[in-house]
Amino acid sequence: MNTRHSAFNPNRPRPEPKTPNLNSADAPFFCSTRFPLQIRAGSGSSHLPESGTVLPIKIHRDEESGKILNLVFVWAEDGMKLKVDVPVVFKGEDACPGVQKGGILNKIRPSLRFLCPSEHIPSNIAVDVSNLDIEDRIFMRDIEVHPSLKLLSKNENMPVCKIVPTSLGNKEPIEA
């Protein structure tokens, strides 16, 4: 028998089953990324009782080991509106005049909560700080996003970031 063309070769080494890389659950964009989900009737089954798109909303970890104990997902099919915490990514810090003068970028809000259609969930919100000087701020109201996203904040006048001054040669912010 020619094993090269056989559909089944018991002597061929079998690859290990693929498991999701849950280390990516540590990534800041994990809970703002939709994933396809297939629930099969059993191991090796081709019957799909459920399939669709989901969004992770909670990650439960063992306090001592850090191992993931449970992931909580919600259905995230197109057209569904979901509340999502979207990570803020600060761009242009290296070119920021306030930082070049010795100030520090104070990242006040690491994420912003939006109500948005699942098909428009951004993986992150990019905030350009390249033009900020010392004491300059960017407020929630200043951030431009897709028009279908609604910011869920009671105070849109809250700053997302601010360039804070430091004392001479000290890289710690001055206490006000």
Side-chain angles (χ1 to χ4, degrees):
M1 178 174 161
N2 183 349
T3 57
R4 261 182 74 197
H5 299 289
S6 172
F8 175 73
N9 178 356
N11 298 322
R12 187 182 80 188
R14 298 275 174 224
E16 290 295 315
K18 288 186 179 180
T19 56
N21 179 6
L22 294 180
N23 290 333
S24 64
D26 293 326
F29 312 132
F30 183 74
C31 286
S32 61
T33 302
R34 297 186 325 155
F35 296 94
L37 175 71
Q38 294 182 343
I39 300 173
R40 298 198 180 267
S43 179
S45 172
S46 62
H47 178 65
L48 284 174
E50 286 281 343
S51 67
T53 305
V54 295
L55 179 75
I57 58 169
K58 284 189 182 175
I59 303 169
H60 298 113
R61 295 182 179 274
D62 181 274
E63 290 182 21
E64 292 179 13
S65 69
K67 289 184 178 180
I68 294 175
L69 301 173
N70 185 36
L71 291 171
V72 179
F73 294 90
V74 294
W75 291 111
E77 299 297 339
D78 286 356
M80 294 179 74
K81 289 196 174 192
L82 301 170
K83 293 178 183 178
V84 182
D85 289 315
V86 181
V88 176
V89 175
F90 298 93
K91 306 253 184 199
E93 187 173 355
D94 55 335
C96 176
V99 170
Q100 290 175 349
K101 292 176 184 176
I104 294 176
L105 175 62
N106 184 5
K107 301 172 183 177
I108 299 166
R109 296 295 303 255
S111 66
L112 297 172
R113 191 161 184 80
F114 288 94
L115 177 66
C116 51
S118 65
E119 66 271 19
H120 292 145
I121 296 172
S123 61
N124 64 70
I125 301 292
V127 175
D128 181 10
V129 298
S130 63
N131 294 318
L132 297 183
D133 208 338
I134 292 178
E135 295 294 339
D136 286 348
R137 319 176 167 152
I138 295 178
F139 295 92
M140 288 187 203
R141 68 174 182 262
D142 299 328
I143 297 175
E144 294 182 18
V145 294
H146 191 277
S148 66
L149 274 64
K150 180 184 179 203
L151 182 63
L152 297 177
S153 173
K154 294 179 180 164
N155 184 1
E156 290 186 2
N157 294 321
M158 184 173 172
V160 175
C161 66
K162 176 181 178 180
I163 305 297
V164 293
T166 58
S167 60
L168 296 175
N170 185 359
K171 286 294 183 183
E172 294 299 314
I174 295 174
E175 296 296 322

